[in-house]
Amino acid sequence: MEAPDRNLALDLVRVTEAAALASARWLGRGDKNSGDQAAVDAMRVSFDSLHIKGSIVIGEGEKDEAPMLFNGESVGTGEGPMVDVAVDPVEGTRLLAYGRPNAICVVGLAPRGTMYVPPESYYMQKLVLPAEAAEAADLDAPIGETLRKAAKCLGKDVDDLVVFVLDKPRHEDIVKEIRAAGARIQLHTDGDVMGSLMAVDPRSEVDVMIGTGGTPEGVLSACAIRGTGGRMLCRLDPQSDAEKQRLLDAGVDLSEILTEKTLVRDENVFFACTGISSGTFIKGVRYQGRGATTQSLVIRGKTGTVRYIESLHNWDKLMRISAVKYD
C-alpha cells in the first residue's frame, strides 16, 4: 500500500474560488476584459500562497502582455513540488460579459515536464467520451458509427444520447451528421472545457463532446479526464492557411492523434474549477450581502477521486486576511 500524500487539488480550489468571486462582479456588464482581469489578479495573488514551484505551461499570453498569466511565468512560493500549471482564469469571457451560463475558472497541475506544450496551434479537433464508452473513440470513423458504438457501451439507444457541440460555422457538417444519426444535441456558444467535463461526469446529461475547440483548453480538459477515467482523442486542426503553414514549417505532424495520456503524461494530476455564472452543471457565484456561495469541481488523478465542493464565504472574516477585495 502507498500512503496518501498531499492533495494539491484542495489547494487549487482556493485559487479558482478567488478568481470566480472576483470576476463574477462583472457578470452581464458587457466588459469581458475587466472580468478576465479581475480573475487574473485574484488568481495570481492566490497562487503566491501555494507551496509549489510552478511554471505556467498553458497561460493567456506572453510576458510582454502581462498582467495576464503568461506562458513561462513562475507561480507559487518556490518551495515544494516542481509542477506544470495550466490556467484559464475565465473560460467563457463572453459568457461572463453577457450574463450567459457556464463561465468557469479553471486550473490544472501536473509534475514538471509532463504537460503537452502546444506549438503555435490555436485549435484542435476533439472527441470526448466517458470511461464506459472509451472503446467507441475513433476520430476517423463516421460520427454516426461512433455514436452507435457509444450508445451500445452506455446501454442506451442512439436517440437517448446528448452530444455537446460548440455553435460555430465550422461545425455545420458535424451537426448534420449527429442529427442524421438520430442523437440529440446541446449547442453552446463557448466553453469546450465545460463540454469535456460534462461528457465524462455521470451527473451530466451530456454523453459525448465532439468538435474543434481551443488547443490550450484541450490540455486543461485532459487534466480532468485523466482523473475521471474518460477518453479524449485530439488532432491539431489549424483554421487558417497561415496557421497550417507555421505548423508544417515547424515539423509538426498534423495527422498525429493525441490522447489525454499524451496531453498529460502522468496520472499524478490535479484539477479544479469553480463556477462563475450558473449553468445546469456547476452553479455560479451567489452573492448574499455579507458573503457569497461558490460551487467547485475538484479532481485528483492518482486516486480518481472527484469532489463537488460548495463553499460559503464570509466577508467579515475573509476581508481581514485577503489581499483581494471581493465585497
Side-chain angles (χ1 to χ4, degrees), residues 64-141:
D64 59 1
E65 295 177 2
M68 310 308 281
L69 286 155
F70 57 85
N71 298 336
E73 180 175 354
S74 297
V75 293
T77 63
E79 300 176 354
M82 298 175 65
V83 293
D84 289 340
V85 182
V87 300
D88 195 345
V90 178
E91 198 221 10
T93 53
R94 287 185 297 181
L95 300 177
L96 171 60
Y98 299 118
R100 295 170 181 157
N102 294 327
I104 56 174
C105 300
V106 190
V107 178
L109 186 152
R112 179 69 56 85
T114 63
M115 272 190 195
Y116 177 74
V117 180
E120 285 194 55
S121 173
Y122 308 114
Y123 294 94
M124 57 169 44
Q125 182 185 3
K126 303 172 188 176
L127 171 63
V128 182
L129 293 159
E132 297 82 0
E135 65 184 69
D138 186 343
L139 273 183
D140 296 316

Side-chain angles (χ1 to χ4, degrees), residues 27 35 40 52 68 87 111 151 178 180-181 198 207 224 306 312 319 323:
L27 179 71
V40 168
I52 58 172
M68 310 308 281
V87 300
I178 296 170
M198 294 171 76
D207 301 290
V306 179
L312 280 65
M319 290 301 99

